[in-house]
Amino acid sequence: MKLTSKGRYAVMALVDLARFDTINPVSLRDISLRQGISLDYLEQIFSKLKKNHIVKSTRGTQGGYFLSKKPNEIKLTNILNAVDEKVKTVQCKKDSKKGCNGKATKCITHNLWDELETHINTFFEKKSLQDLLKNNSEWVN
Amino acid sequence: MKLTSKGRYAVMALVDLARFDTINPVSLRDISLRQGISLDYLEQIFSKLKKNHIVKSTRGTQGGYFLSKKPNEIKLTNILNAVDEKVKTVQCKKDSKKGCNGKATKCITHNLWDELETHINTFFEKKSLQDLLKNNSEWVN
DNA sequence: CTAAACTTGACCATTTTAGTCAGGTATGTA
DNA sequence: TACATACCTGACTAAAATGGTCAAGTTTAG
């Protein structure tokens, strides 16, 4: 199971973006300063977000990134998948030697982790960027 | 966030134990053979399980481990906590430099991860060893 | 034409994971 | 009492993941 700061950074950056991209595109430099995330690391993350059609970008002076959809259309699943936080709880295919190969002879706890995975993913599918914006609209930056 | 094979092994081993400790204590060697987990690794795991009063042991020939409570009294939270799988989603105290110190100026996504943590822990608090036994009673070993 | 911005990919230090290894200690049974 | 079978402890480590940095670009608005 993976759920690390890369995913957290991605979500933080996108919330930031959603709040500031209303007029002009937002530069990674600004996000970096506001959120305290390394610029170089942000570039890696946004490269993936762009490939997954979550953000678009404009180059040149005054360029930057903006959301490619409305905040309520961007679910957390989309974001986390984009940056490779798969939320996979088991990989039982490798150890075919004993028990679990995903078919007839599942390991004893296979179903459990499957359930958990569903449980977590449901959570992420319900939450959109919009939801996070609402919770934070009153906050000073 | 941590949720790795150590936790998975712990759960597997305990399900195995729950199925076979009805008459005699179960040796780690047997569990190791049945579940395909390294004996040395099992010893580490059971050391922690014992410290946390989830299992007890008898020494000597024919010795081994057995559950210290009934399967329905052992929740997955207990097991995972015992082997140090904390299921912590954020540690926002370290980076006091920017935003999140857990107090007034929480990072934008702080509430989100708190919610997720609760969501996952709820799942683990509901599930007991007994639940897993039921699901697997029909399986051949 | 050039500075500001995005883009790409290689690289790397540190930490965590998933164990192994070596050496114990305790105890039921013969 | 011997001894095999268990448990117990701590040091060690290869490999992978994490959380970045660094270097060298390309693009385009002004």
Side-chain angles (χ1 to χ4, degrees):
Chain A
M1 167 122 192
K2 285 175 19 179
L3 225 180
T4 65
S5 63
K6 187 189 286 186
R8 188 158 56 92
Y9 285 167
V11 176
M12 286 171 68
L14 284 176
V15 172
D16 186 282
L17 188 57
R19 291 173 65 194
F20 289 95
D21 80 343
T22 45
I23 303 174
N24 300 315
V26 180
S27 73
L28 291 191
R29 193 166 159 280
D30 287 350
I31 297 179
S32 166
L33 290 174
R34 277 195 296 259
Q35 302 300 329
I37 305 169
S38 137
L39 177 58
D40 286 312
Y41 203 29
L42 273 181
E43 289 181 347
Q44 276 184 44
I45 292 170
F46 271 77
S47 162
K48 293 184 176 184
L49 292 176
K50 194 179 180 186
K51 274 183 195 145
N52 287 271
H53 313 293
I54 291 170
V55 297
K56 291 180 179 175
S57 63
T58 320
R59 293 185 142 178
T61 318
Q62 304 302 319
Y65 286 93
F66 49 96
L67 297 178
S68 63
K69 302 175 198 169
K70 292 174 190 168
N72 67 326
E73 292 172 330
I74 301 177
K75 305 296 182 186
L76 292 192
T77 328
N78 307 138
I79 301 173
L80 296 177
N81 280 338
V83 296
D84 296 327
E85 303 255 350
K86 299 275 183 180
V87 187
K88 276 278 172 194
T89 48
V90 263
Q91 313 109 301
C92 290
K93 290 181 180 176
K94 291 175 187 170
D95 29 291
S96 55
K97 48 181 176 178
K98 190 74 183 182
C100 197
N101 52 22
K103 298 186 69 180
T105 52
K106 290 182 185 173
C107 63
I108 313 184
T109 54
H110 195 111
N111 291 339
L112 173 67
W113 308 119
D114 267 0
E115 267 185 72
L116 174 61
E117 205 169 307
T118 305
H119 187 71
I120 295 176
N121 281 325
T122 302
F123 179 84
F124 283 136
E125 274 159 21
K126 280 183 187 164
K127 290 272 176 191
S128 70
L129 264 191
Q130 181 67 49
D131 296 327
L132 295 181
L133 281 174
K134 275 187 293 189
N135 288 338
N136 296 296
S137 54
E138 74 274 13
W139 293 7
V140 188
N141 200 52
Chain B
M1 168 122 191
K2 284 173 22 178
L3 224 180
T4 65
S5 63
K6 187 190 285 185
R8 188 157 56 93
Y9 285 167
V11 176
M12 286 170 69
L14 285 176
V15 172
D16 185 282
L17 188 57
R19 292 173 65 195
F20 289 94
D21 80 343
T22 45
I23 303 171
N24 297 315
V26 180
S27 73
L28 291 191
R29 193 165 159 281
D30 287 349
I31 297 179
S32 166
L33 291 174
R34 278 195 294 260
Q35 302 300 329
I37 305 170
S38 137
L39 177 60
D40 286 311
Y41 204 27
L42 272 181
E43 287 182 347
Q44 279 184 41
I45 292 170
F46 271 76
S47 164
K48 293 185 175 185
L49 292 176
K50 195 179 179 183
K51 274 182 195 147
N52 285 273
H53 313 292
I54 292 170
V55 296
K56 291 181 178 174
S57 63
T58 320
R59 295 187 140 177
T61 317
Q62 304 303 320
Y65 286 93
F66 48 96
L67 297 178
S68 62
K69 303 175 198 170
K70 292 175 190 168
N72 67 327
E73 293 173 329
I74 301 178
K75 305 297 180 186
L76 292 193
T77 328
N78 308 139
I79 301 172
L80 296 177
N81 281 338
V83 295
D84 297 325
E85 303 253 351
K86 298 274 181 179
V87 187
K88 276 278 172 194
T89 48
V90 263
Q91 314 110 302
C92 290
K93 289 181 182 175
K94 292 175 187 172
D95 28 290
S96 54
K97 46 182 177 178
K98 190 73 183 181
C100 197
N101 52 20
K103 299 186 71 180
T105 52
K106 289 182 185 173
C107 63
I108 314 183
T109 53
H110 195 110
N111 290 340
L112 172 68
W113 307 119
D114 267 2
E115 268 186 70
L116 173 62
E117 206 170 306
T118 305
H119 188 71
I120 295 175
N121 281 326
T122 301
F123 179 84
F124 284 136
E125 274 160 21
K126 279 183 188 164
K127 290 271 175 191
S128 71
L129 263 192
Q130 181 67 47
D131 296 326
L132 295 181
L133 280 174
K134 275 188 292 187
N135 289 336
N136 297 296
S137 55
E138 74 275 14
W139 293 4
V140 188
N141 199 51

